[in-house]
Amino acid sequence: MSFLHETYTLNNGIQIPKVGLGTWQQTKQQAHDSVAAALKAGYLYVDTAQMYQNEDAVGAAIAESGIDRTTLTISTKIDASIKNYQDAARSIDESLAALETDYIDLLLIHAPRPWNQMAVPNVRPVAGNNYYEENLAVWRAMEDAVKAGKVKSIGVSNFNNEDLKNILDAAEIKPVVNQIIYHIGMTQDVNQPFTEANGLLVQAYSPIRTGRLLRMPELQEIAAHYDRSVAQLAIRYALAKGTLPLPKANHPEYVAQNADVDFEITAADMAVLDAIEMPPY
């Protein structure tokens, strides 16, 4: 069975595909075309965000596909600049309209602080306001959206352990995922254990490091052992680490190729990959 159709079970009992399509840094047209290609290739999970400004393109591609909505998983994120209940509640309705859907499968807080106060996402925040109370206000709006049937599951993105603990200590509805930057050379060895110990799934965004991994000779050599691309190696690595990768591709052939990861990386090669270190963005 393809990883596109295998699932993880979230802590609320809902199943989610093990691989999804990311749409970060894509124009509306790129997002539309990649989602259309992904659905044709068998993807059942698409991830977007208010900040990406392509929710409407994602929604249009899904609507045009004719695929039964109930078979798909759609996730989006409340913009990091929104830090109060009223704006969060309004933004959820705006996302529903843009995505042309009656419900969102997974809704995340995109970041614990506004972007201008996140020096490196999930790695090194700028000193200052921790936004603990503000994030709890947004969380309450998300919980109310779940109760209203607008959202199935809720979670966070780019949250470090302290940010996540703030939510866990006060939440009525527990977060199901923490979507963090995760790839070969940057495996979140501090945040992943805490996230998983508290029953959350780690979602790996930028699993190919926006293409930077493709240019690394040592990864090209390992990928060649398996007659695979570096992208496929990186995605399979993320799966082997128990995370849910969200690869992005602008070309239909790469969208399909990124899903063809039904191979095993040897323990020896995993050890080599684990030892690679890369600086933060």
Side-chain angles (χ1 to χ4, degrees), residues 22-128:
T23 59
W24 180 37
Q25 296 179 327
Q26 287 189 325
T27 66
K28 290 179 185 293
Q29 191 63 55
Q30 288 172 332
H32 175 278
D33 293 348
S34 67
V35 171
L39 296 177
K40 288 181 181 178
Y43 284 73
L44 297 175
Y45 177 24
V46 178
D47 177 79
T48 183
Q50 294 169 3
M51 187 268 282
Y52 302 168
Q53 297 184 19
N54 59 23
E55 286 179 314
D56 55 346
V58 169
I62 290 172
E64 291 164 11
S65 74
I67 295 174
D68 182 356
R69 170 68 181 89
T70 62
T71 67
L72 301 177
T73 296
I74 303 173
S75 60
T76 192
K77 310 172 196 73
I78 294 177
D79 191 80
S81 66
I82 295 175
K83 293 300 175 194
N84 64 73
Y85 181 100
Q86 292 79 8
D87 288 343
R90 172 185 49 76
S91 78
I92 294 169
D93 288 338
E94 291 174 349
S95 287
L96 286 166
L99 290 164
E100 302 181 42
T101 184
D102 294 330
Y103 65 93
I104 296 165
D105 296 278
L106 176 60
L107 179 69
L108 314 179
I109 300 177
H110 205 157
R113 284 161 287 281
W115 293 119
N116 62 2
Q117 296 179 46
M118 296 285 291
V120 179
N122 198 235
V123 179
R124 190 180 66 252
V126 174

Side-chain angles (χ1 to χ4, degrees), residues 2-281:
S2 166
F3 281 106
L4 293 176
H5 300 140
E6 291 187 15
T7 60
Y8 290 114
T9 301
L10 302 174
N11 61 37
N12 60 4
I14 292 176
Q15 294 186 323
I16 189 170
K18 285 189 173 181
V19 176
L21 179 78
T23 59
W24 180 37
Q25 296 179 327
Q26 287 189 325
T27 66
K28 290 179 185 293
Q29 191 63 55
Q30 288 172 332
H32 175 278
D33 293 348
S34 67
V35 171
L39 296 177
K40 288 181 181 178
Y43 284 73
L44 297 175
Y45 177 24
V46 178
D47 177 79
T48 183
Q50 294 169 3
M51 187 268 282
Y52 302 168
Q53 297 184 19
N54 59 23
E55 286 179 314
D56 55 346
V58 169
I62 290 172
E64 291 164 11
S65 74
I67 295 174
D68 182 356
R69 170 68 181 89
T70 62
T71 67
L72 301 177
T73 296
I74 303 173
S75 60
T76 192
K77 310 172 196 73
I78 294 177
D79 191 80
S81 66
I82 295 175
K83 293 300 175 194
N84 64 73
Y85 181 100
Q86 292 79 8
D87 288 343
R90 172 185 49 76
S91 78
I92 294 169
D93 288 338
E94 291 174 349
S95 287
L96 286 166
L99 290 164
E100 302 181 42
T101 184
D102 294 330
Y103 65 93
I104 296 165
D105 296 278
L106 176 60
L107 179 69
L108 314 179
I109 300 177
H110 205 157
R113 284 161 287 281
W115 293 119
N116 62 2
Q117 296 179 46
M118 296 285 291
V120 179
N122 198 235
V123 179
R124 190 180 66 252
V126 174
N129 188 350
N130 57 31
Y131 288 88
Y132 285 173
E133 290 303 317
E134 291 86 347
N135 284 322
L136 291 180
V138 174
W139 194 256
R140 286 192 293 273
M142 295 165 67
E143 290 179 327
D144 285 348
V146 173
K147 295 172 185 176
K150 297 177 180 180
V151 176
K152 299 292 187 183
S153 303
I154 51 180
V156 297
S157 179
N158 294 305
F159 273 50
N160 63 31
N161 293 345
E162 292 76 19
D163 296 317
L164 179 55
K165 185 176 186 301
N166 175 58
I167 299 293
L168 290 169
D169 287 347
E172 179 183 350
I173 299 176
K174 186 176 181 178
V176 297
V177 306
N178 187 10
Q179 185 179 125
I180 53 180
I181 184 170
Y182 193 103
H183 55 72
I184 296 169
M186 188 174 182
T187 52
Q188 299 279 8
D189 293 338
V190 172
N191 293 313
Q192 183 179 14
F194 182 83
T195 294
E196 293 179 343
N198 282 281
L200 283 73
L201 174 68
V202 171
Q203 291 190 316
Y205 78 76
S206 198
I208 313 169
R209 190 161 174 157
T210 60
R212 289 173 175 83
L213 297 185
L214 305 180
R215 301 189 292 271
M216 296 177 63
E218 60 269 45
L219 297 186
Q220 295 170 1
E221 183 177 350
I222 293 174
H225 294 166
Y226 302 96
D227 193 25
R228 302 284 177 153
S229 69
V230 172
Q232 289 170 311
L233 177 72
I235 294 162
R236 187 64 186 87
Y237 175 84
L239 284 162
K241 301 294 282 187
T243 73
L244 192 165
L246 297 166
K248 177 198 73 176
N250 292 332
H251 300 289
E253 63 268 31
Y254 295 138
V255 171
Q257 187 182 88
N258 286 347
D260 183 16
V261 290
D262 292 329
F263 67 101
E264 295 291 332
I265 303 174
T266 66
D269 283 339
M270 284 295 294
V272 172
L273 297 174
D274 284 339
I276 293 173
E277 295 184 4
M278 299 179 70
Y281 280 73

